[in-house]
């Protein structure tokens, strides 16, 4: 027997008559038009108030509280937290054993991560672990608390746009909210976190409806090894599509249709170039090797990189998802194109990639380009808001346009007048 609550839910699920809508208006174009560079910048700027948001610290927990409050204020009021335990190793502990990587490709250069090959000029990469390398004293003080050694609880936060006709199915749109390096984690990953928050704001606006659900998720502990996203995938994969309580029309974990991760959205200045001295001569290191630097200006060919992983179990469907996003970029992005690659790696979509079609959006390819040092601010004290120009912020906004349009098409978005 059907409960009154279910009957009410079914009544709501009937598509509304389009009588009041203008048939010529494209709702996706209207929604993309609501993304705004100044709002996107302001959200990134607000996130930098919590320093590098390192996992396990008070500044990380405050950032999570702030993100949740913002999501609620946007109308994405059904926020939830997912708890998990994380063990912070002692500083002198031997490094954790890593799973063997995906074998890299060709003979053009050394192997990169995710199956890539490191072609061309390179800059060494690494994580800054020295707080004294942060020249801004106020920021150094803000980042002073270290993660306590040992096991304690961590949290992710998410909210969900419930689908009007298919609440039992959803797309996951996500980024990681933690950072490292003693900067402000403005690009890695304030830029992705702000993107997800802006989409939550637009999809939660009065009058916006989608057929399918969309979950906006901010993961913790990405920088320690994708621990927050992995905890979510493990805890919730078997809950997919279960109506609970039975007959309620409510699906605490809708079936996953696609996972779209955002990680470092703003810096695409191209391949490192030789560093020159005052006389215009190439600078050499102690071994007599040329020293390279990142170009100071964004390259004219800057693009959004959409990646999937070719050796994942969901590779074929993930490729299809990637190309759908490329097409959404062609149709709706205002300034920058998108490119598709097949070496997605080292990001929170990895724990999902064998379970559900999964892609990541980035400023560069993670394996070949970021791995070759194309982003000099990566995990460095220089990853602060002031480092980035409006062109950099605009690249992030174009990634937001791409995901907004791609997800709006897939989830069936419309605007009620
Ligand atoms: Zn990141």
């Amino acid at each position: 027997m059907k409960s009154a609550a279910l009957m009410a839910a079914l009544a709501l699920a009937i598509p509304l008559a389009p009588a009041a809508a203008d048939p010529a208006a494209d709702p996706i174009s209207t929604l993309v038009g609501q993304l705004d560079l100044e709002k996107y910048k302001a959200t990134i700027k607000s996130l930098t108030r919590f320093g590098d948001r390192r996992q396990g610290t008070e500044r990380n927990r405050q950032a999570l509280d702030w993100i949740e409050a913002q999501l609620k204020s946007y109308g994405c009021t059904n926020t939830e937290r997912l708890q998990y335990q994380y063990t912070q190793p002692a500083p002198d502990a031997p490094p954790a054993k890593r799973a063997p990587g995906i074998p890299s490709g060709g003979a053009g250069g050394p192997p990169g991560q995710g199956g890539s090959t490191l072609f061309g000029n390179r800059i060494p990469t690494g994580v800054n672990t020295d707080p004294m390398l942060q020249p801004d004293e106020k920021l150094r003080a803000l980042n002073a608390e270290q993660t306590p050694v040992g096991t304690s609880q961590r949290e992710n936060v998410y909210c969900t746009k419930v689908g009007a006709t298919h609440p039992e199915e959803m797309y996951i749109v996500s980024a990681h909210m933690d950072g490292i390096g003693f900067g402000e984690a403005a690009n890695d990953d304030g830029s992705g976190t702000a993107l997800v928050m802006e989409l939550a704001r637009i999809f939660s606006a009065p009058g916006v409806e989608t057929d399918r659900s969309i979950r906006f998720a901010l993961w913790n502990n990405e920088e320690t090894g994708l621990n927050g996203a992995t905890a979510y995938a493990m805890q919730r994969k078997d809950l997919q599509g279960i109506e609970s309580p039975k007959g309620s029309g409510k699906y605490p974990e809708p079936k996953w249709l696609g996972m779209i991760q955002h990680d470092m959205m703003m810096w695409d200045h191209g391949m490192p170039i030789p560093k020159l001295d005052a006389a215009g001569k190439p600078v050499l290191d102690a071994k007599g090797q040329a020293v390279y630097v990142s170009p100071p200006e964004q390259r004219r060919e800057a693009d959004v990189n959409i990646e999937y992983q070719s050796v994942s179990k969901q590779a074929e469907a993930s490729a299809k998802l990637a190309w759908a996003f490329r097409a959404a970029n062609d149709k709706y992005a205002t300034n920058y194109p998108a490119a598709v690659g097949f070496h997605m790696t080292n990001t929170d979509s990895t724990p999902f990639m064998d379970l559900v079609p999964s892609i990541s959006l980035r400023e560069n390819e993670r394996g070949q380009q970021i791995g070759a040092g194309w982003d000099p601010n990566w995990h460095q004290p220089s990853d602060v808001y002031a480092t980035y120009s409006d062109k950099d912020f605009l690249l992030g906004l174009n990634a937001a346009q791409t995901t907004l349009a791609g997800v709006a098409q897939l989830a069936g978005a419309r605007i009620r007048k």
Side-chain angles (χ1 to χ4, degrees):
M1 181 130 76
K2 281 172 180 164
S3 70
L6 178 61
M7 293 306 284
L10 284 172
L12 280 174
I14 295 164
L16 290 137
D22 172 11
D26 174 1
I28 296 175
S29 159
T30 305
L31 294 172
V32 170
Q34 289 167 9
L35 281 166
D36 174 76
L37 183 64
E38 292 310 317
K39 280 195 179 123
Y40 178 59
K41 287 169 65 178
T43 305
I44 296 172
K45 180 79 184 147
S46 296
L47 285 161
T48 66
R49 283 189 292 137
F50 308 99
D52 68 5
R53 305 185 293 285
R54 177 179 287 258
Q55 56 83 24
T57 63
E58 186 60 28
R59 61 189 183 278
N60 172 282
R61 290 187 288 274
Q62 285 175 352
L64 204 71
D65 289 346
W66 181 79
I67 291 166
E68 180 168 14
Q70 290 298 111
L71 292 172
K72 283 184 191 287
S73 79
Y74 301 154
C76 208
T77 52
N78 57 3
T79 59
E80 293 174 72
R81 296 202 183 193
L82 180 128
Q83 278 97 20
Y84 58 96
Q85 300 290 313
Y86 177 73
T87 303
Q88 176 72 20
D92 53 358
K97 252 201 172 161
R98 302 198 81 143
I102 294 154
S104 92
Q113 285 168 305
S116 66
T117 303
L118 302 183
F119 293 98
N121 302 338
R122 301 199 306 280
I123 299 175
T125 60
V127 178
N128 173 49
T129 55
D130 181 0
M132 294 312 288
L133 292 181
Q134 176 50 256
D136 178 339
E137 279 176 40
K138 259 175 88 178
L139 181 54
R140 202 190 303 156
L142 183 59
N143 286 333
E145 187 202 347
Q146 294 303 289
T147 306
V149 170
T151 302
S152 50
Q153 184 177 281
R154 305 280 188 275
E155 290 183 318
N156 302 317
V157 66
Y158 56 85
C159 70
T160 309
K161 167 83 182 174
V162 178
T165 58
H166 288 282
E168 77 284 5
E169 296 177 345
M170 75 169 170
Y171 292 90
I172 300 173
V173 173
S174 62
H176 70 89
M177 53 70 65
D178 66 313
I180 47 173
F182 297 99
E184 291 175 338
N187 188 39
D188 185 9
D189 190 21
S191 64
T193 299
L195 183 161
V196 172
M197 293 173 69
E198 287 298 284
L199 264 55
R201 180 176 65 79
I202 290 168
F203 277 110
S204 303
V208 178
E209 273 188 0
T210 56
D211 287 331
R212 291 177 168 75
S213 300
I214 308 170
R215 179 157 289 173
F216 303 96
L218 287 316
W219 315 119
N220 211 335
N221 279 91
E222 191 273 348
E223 300 290 6
T224 49
L226 322 179
N227 308 88
T230 303
Y232 179 98
M234 292 304 108
Q235 287 184 33
R236 302 198 65 85
K237 67 180 163 59
D238 297 329
L239 305 176
Q240 289 182 67
I242 298 172
E243 188 185 36
S244 176
K246 256 213 157 359
S248 68
K250 291 198 161 80
Y251 296 85
E253 192 65 29
K255 180 179 162 30
W256 306 343
L257 300 179
M259 198 281 187
I260 303 113
Q261 170 73 4
H262 304 83
D263 196 352
M264 304 168 72
M265 312 314 298
M266 305 202 293
W267 187 276
D268 190 358
H269 292 205
M271 185 181 285
I273 53 173
K275 185 177 183 179
L276 305 178
D277 65 17
K281 288 215 170 105
V283 174
L284 304 180
D285 66 14
K287 290 181 187 160
Q289 306 277 327
V291 174
Y292 294 96
V293 290
S294 180
E297 292 293 330
Q298 186 182 77
R299 65 171 172 158
R300 298 178 72 120
E301 304 82 4
D303 59 5
V304 177
N305 290 88
I306 303 166
E307 297 184 277
Y308 67 98
Q309 179 45 260
S310 60
V311 302
S312 66
K313 287 189 184 146
Q314 297 282 339
E316 211 168 310
S318 298
K320 215 172 149 192
L321 184 63
W323 288 112
F325 272 59
R326 162 81 199 247
N329 169 276
D330 275 350
K331 188 161 180 194
Y332 292 104
T334 51
N335 309 84
Y336 299 94
V340 171
F342 63 164
H343 294 314
M344 180 184 83
T345 187
N346 293 72
T347 195
D348 287 320
S349 39
T350 303
F352 291 87
M353 71 183 185
D354 289 333
L355 305 169
V356 57
S358 301
I359 58 174
S360 74
L361 274 71
R362 281 189 189 267
E363 61 196 12
N364 287 308
E365 289 190 1
R366 170 61 183 80
Q368 137 69 12
Q369 298 174 341
I370 293 176
W374 286 33
D375 187 333
N377 310 303
W378 184 37
H379 300 157
Q380 298 304 311
S382 58
D383 188 4
V384 295
Y385 184 85
T387 293
Y388 303 100
S389 72
D390 269 5
K391 283 184 195 169
D392 299 321
F393 288 114
L394 195 58
L395 182 64
L397 192 80
N398 274 249
Q401 294 170 339
T402 303
T403 294
L404 195 160
V407 169
Q409 285 176 324
L410 291 168
R414 59 187 164 269
I415 303 167
R416 249 188 317 157
K417 292 276 161 78

